[in-house]
Amino acid sequence: MTPEEISLGASENLLRTYFSLGLAIPNSTTLTDEGYRACLGEFEHPICNFAAGLHLDPWSAKQLASLAASRKAFNVYAIPGDSPEHLQELLHRCDFRISYRLVQMVAEPIGRHSGPMVVRATDSESRLQIAQFMTEQFFSRQTEAFRTRVATATADATELELYSLLSYGRTTGGVMLCPGEKVIGIYNLCVASASRGLGLGKELTAWALSEAFKQQKVVTLQCDSHLQSWYEDLGFHATGMIEVYTLSKPGRGDIMSGT
Ligand SMILES: CC(C)(COP(=O)(O)OP(=O)(O)OC[C@H]1O[C@@H](n2cnc3c(N)ncnc32)[C@H](O)[C@@H]1OP(=O)(O)O)[C@@H](O)C(=O)NCCC(=O)NCCS
């Protein structure tokens, strides 16, 4: 694969994952426009209210802005492979502002691993258990109700594989894999707060790289810039940025329903 194909494969993997999770929230639907693809859900959170796969022109950018204004929460993901080149300018003109950025990273798989035990969750009960573990690590400051919604959606998105890292019979880490045709995506990689700094995160990442090696696939992930060097030490390199936009004036959330 060329570097461009790898980056596009990584972006495709991200879209599959975000739409799988969004559509796993009950009553979510997709909307496909010429300039973008959106997930729209009743739960007022960007997990199921977002647009991605952008190929905007001034008209579709305006359409997207009015869609975003009709929702209480709405993210727009600009990712490598989107167009046109002046996407940022188009979005800015429609009052979108960058709310945060993630680094898109990829790595060639590595064929050796002799680390801790990693077990795939195969039934709905074990999927929910590891999904709950993940939401506790990522959303400890959010409400229990929010964590339950996200954990249930994660468990229900069965095309995404969930794995537990076990140490002395206890779950100390977790990871979600999105298996694509040529690219495997790593998501929700986490270690229990009490077990961090012991090398478990590195072991879990190395395990994912060895799984990808067995399938001869490239590995991708998205991370906050402060973790970039940590992943670089594990063999990853940056291939682009994911820019997350929201409207500078928050959506009213009442345009569509007319209430
Ligand atoms: C990121 C994470 C998986 C690392 O797991 P871990 O088991 O602590 O990692 P390791 O023990 O293998 O490596 C530790 C090293 O990672 C780096 N590191 C870990 N978390 C970091 C952070 N938040 N910021 C910067 N560096 C970090 C440090 O260099 C640390 O070195 P130190 O032990 O000398 O401090 C863990 O911190 C975690 O679960 N964080 C919350 C969820 C998360 O952000 N996941 C990443 C999604 S992309």
Side-chain angles (χ1 to χ4, degrees):
M1 284 171 91
T2 65
E4 198 184 35
E5 283 170 341
I6 290 175
S7 177
L8 287 179
S11 293
E12 205 179 282
N13 196 282
L14 175 78
L15 292 188
R16 274 185 59 179
T17 304
Y18 281 15
F19 276 98
S20 295
L21 287 173
L23 291 172
I25 300 271
N27 302 323
S28 296
T29 54
T30 52
L31 182 153
T32 305
D33 183 275
E34 269 178 34
Y36 56 85
R37 194 170 159 226
C39 181
L40 302 173
E42 287 172 5
F43 179 39
E44 291 166 347
H45 189 275
I47 189 173
C48 57
N49 287 287
F50 64 87
L54 308 180
H55 298 288
L56 296 178
D57 57 20
W59 168 252
S60 53
K62 269 192 195 159
Q63 296 282 106
L64 182 56
S66 78
L67 178 64
S70 73
R71 322 293 298 181
K72 280 204 171 121
F74 196 85
N75 279 357
V76 173
Y77 299 102
I79 63 180
D82 285 352
S83 66
E85 260 179 44
H86 64 291
L87 187 57
Q88 188 167 17
E89 191 193 316
L90 271 184
L91 289 166
H92 268 254
R93 265 195 248 140
C94 293
D95 284 333
F96 284 106
R97 297 290 175 265
I98 292 179
S99 123
Y100 62 94
R101 289 185 173 89
L102 295 171
V103 187
Q104 181 191 65
M105 304 195 82
V106 301
E108 291 297 329
I110 300 169
R112 56 175 170 78
H113 175 73
S114 56
M117 191 193 285
V118 179
V119 178
R120 182 169 174 188
T122 48
D123 56 64
S124 50
E125 196 184 323
S126 59
R127 283 183 65 87
L128 188 59
Q129 263 173 17
I130 185 62
Q132 279 167 340
F133 174 88
M134 287 168 175
T135 52
E136 277 159 25
Q137 310 316 312
F138 282 96
F139 304 115
S140 58
R141 291 193 198 139
Q142 303 266 9
T143 64
E144 180 75 37
F146 171 80
R147 284 197 296 270
T148 302
R149 282 255 197 174
V150 176
T152 306
T154 306
D156 288 347
T158 48
E159 60 273 50
L160 304 172
E161 301 172 357
L162 299 178
Y163 293 88
S164 300
L165 169 68
L166 299 177
S167 312
Y168 303 105
R170 286 185 44 241
T171 298
T172 47
V175 67
M176 180 166 88
L177 298 184
C178 174
E181 206 186 313
K182 293 179 179 167
V183 176
I184 290 188
I186 295 184
Y187 299 86
N188 291 4
L189 178 91
C190 58
V191 169
S193 47
S195 304
R196 290 183 194 160
L198 304 173
L200 295 179
K202 282 189 188 106
E203 288 291 342
L204 196 48
T205 310
W207 169 83
L209 286 167
S210 71
E211 283 300 297
F213 183 81
K214 286 183 206 157
Q215 299 175 34
Q216 289 299 297
K217 291 177 185 172
V218 172
V219 183
T220 186
L221 56 82
Q222 301 75 40
C223 69
D224 207 273
S225 57
H226 70 264
L227 281 175
Q228 183 172 346
S229 59
W230 187 72
Y231 283 118
E232 279 168 354
D233 288 347
L234 292 164
F236 286 83
H237 65 274
T239 45
M241 296 301 293
I242 287 121
E243 290 177 334
V244 187
Y245 289 83
T246 49
L247 277 183
S248 54
K249 293 172 208 131
R252 300 212 315 270
D254 57 0
I255 293 174
M256 301 289 269
S257 63
T259 54

